[in-house]
C-alpha cells in the first residue's frame, strides 16, 4: 500500500487512534491482508504501539498477516460437516487449485482455509466464499460457484 493510499484511510478516520480497528479493516479490504510495513506506518502515525496493532490483527479472524487471494474459500471441517463430506470437498479444492489449507493459488485468485464449526451445522457440509455461506455443498458445486464468481469479476 502506498503512503497516499494509507493517508486516505487515515483521513477517513480522522487520524484517531481510537479508530485503529476500522483503519485495519480498511487496509485489509484494500490489500486482502495487513502488510507489515503498513502496520508499522500506522503505528508511527497514530502513535499506537505496534504490539497493540498486532494484538488486534491476530485476534480477529477477518485479518490476515499474509497475502490472501481475491477470494477466500473456507471449508468447515467440524464434526457435522466432516460426517457429511467436508473432506471430499476439501480434496476437490486442493486438487483443483493445487494448494493446501492456509495457502493461496499462484495467480492470487483463491485462498483456501478450514475452520472448526461455524455454528450452522444444520447446513452441513458448509463452505463460505467471501463471507457468503453455502450449505449442503459438494465439491463440484463449490467449483461451479467459484467459476461464476471469477466470470463475474472478469466482466466487471
Ligand atoms: S460442523 Fe460445520 S457448521 Fe458446525
Amino acid at each position: 500500500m502506498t503512503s497516499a493510499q494509507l493517508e486516505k484511510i487515515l483521513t477517513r478516520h480522522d487520524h484517531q487512534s481510537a479508530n485503529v480497528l476500522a483503519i485495519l479493516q480498511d487496509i485489509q479490504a484494500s490489500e486482502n491482508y495487513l502488510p507489515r510495513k503498513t502496520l508499522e506506518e500506522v503505528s508511527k502515525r497514530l502513535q499506537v504501539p505496534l504490539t497493540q496493532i498486532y494484538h488486534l490483527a491476530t485476534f480477529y479472524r477477518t485479518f490476515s498477516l499474509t497475502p490472501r487471494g481475491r477470494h477466500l474459500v473456507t471449508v468447515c471441517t467440524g464434526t457435522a460437516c466432516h460426517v457429511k463430506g467436508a473432506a471430499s470437498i476439501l480434496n476437490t479444492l486442493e486438487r483443483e487449485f493445487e494448494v493446501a489449507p492456509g495457502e493461496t493459488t499462484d495467480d492470487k485468485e483463491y485462498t483456501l482455509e478450514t475452520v472448526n464449526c461455524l455454528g450452522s451445522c444444520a447446513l452441513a457440509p458448509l463452505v463460505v466464499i467471501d463471507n457468503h455461506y453455502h450449505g449442503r455443498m459438494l465439491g463440484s458445486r463449490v467449483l461451479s460457484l467459484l467459476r461464476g464468481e471469477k466470470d463475474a469479476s472478469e466482466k466487471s
Side-chain angles (χ1 to χ4, degrees), residues 24-34 62-64 68:
L24 296 184
Q25 286 170 331
D26 283 1
I27 296 168
Q28 175 74 41
S30 165
E31 304 299 301
N32 281 335
Y33 82 113
L34 300 174
T62 178
F63 296 132
S64 175
R68 274 183 179 164

Side-chain angles (χ1 to χ4, degrees), residues 68-87:
R68 274 183 179 164
R70 288 187 339 107
H71 300 290
L72 179 60
V73 183
T74 306
V75 179
C76 178
T77 54
T79 305
C81 289
H82 176 76
V83 167
K84 298 263 184 159

Side-chain angles (χ1 to χ4, degrees), residues 76 78-81 117-121 126:
C76 178
T79 305
C81 289
C117 191
L118 290 156
S120 300
C121 305
L126 190 63

Side-chain angles (χ1 to χ4, degrees), residues 10-152:
L10 294 177
T11 301
R12 194 180 312 139
H13 296 286
D14 303 322
H15 290 79
Q16 292 293 311
S17 59
N19 296 332
V20 70
L21 189 57
I23 290 166
L24 296 184
Q25 286 170 331
D26 283 1
I27 296 168
Q28 175 74 41
S30 165
E31 304 299 301
N32 281 335
Y33 82 113
L34 300 174
R36 180 178 175 79
K37 281 186 84 168
T38 305
L39 296 186
E40 288 170 353
E41 190 67 25
V42 170
S43 167
K44 206 162 68 182
R45 305 268 299 271
L46 298 184
Q47 298 190 331
V48 173
L50 192 56
T51 52
Q52 191 179 327
I53 291 176
Y54 269 95
H55 177 75
L56 290 171
T58 53
F59 183 79
Y60 294 100
R61 264 189 66 84
T62 178
F63 296 132
S64 175
L65 294 171
T66 53
R68 274 183 179 164
R70 288 187 339 107
H71 300 290
L72 179 60
V73 183
T74 306
V75 179
C76 178
T77 54
T79 305
C81 289
H82 176 76
V83 167
K84 298 263 184 159
S88 166
I89 295 172
L90 197 54
N91 285 340
T92 299
L93 295 175
E94 286 177 327
R95 226 182 16 250
E96 179 75 15
F97 298 133
E98 299 176 344
V99 292
E103 293 180 350
T104 298
T105 54
D106 288 341
D107 63 2
K108 305 275 183 267
E109 196 67 23
Y110 304 108
T111 295
L112 181 62
E113 287 187 345
T114 58
V115 68
N116 254 330
C117 191
L118 290 156
S120 300
C121 305
L123 297 175
L126 190 63
V127 175
V128 184
I129 302 172
D130 299 333
N131 293 322
H132 293 110
Y133 282 44
H134 301 275
R136 300 185 184 93
M137 277 287 110
L138 293 169
S140 57
R141 287 180 59 201
V142 178
L143 290 179
S144 299
L145 285 169
L146 292 174
R147 287 190 189 111
E149 293 274 340
K150 192 173 182 182
D151 290 346

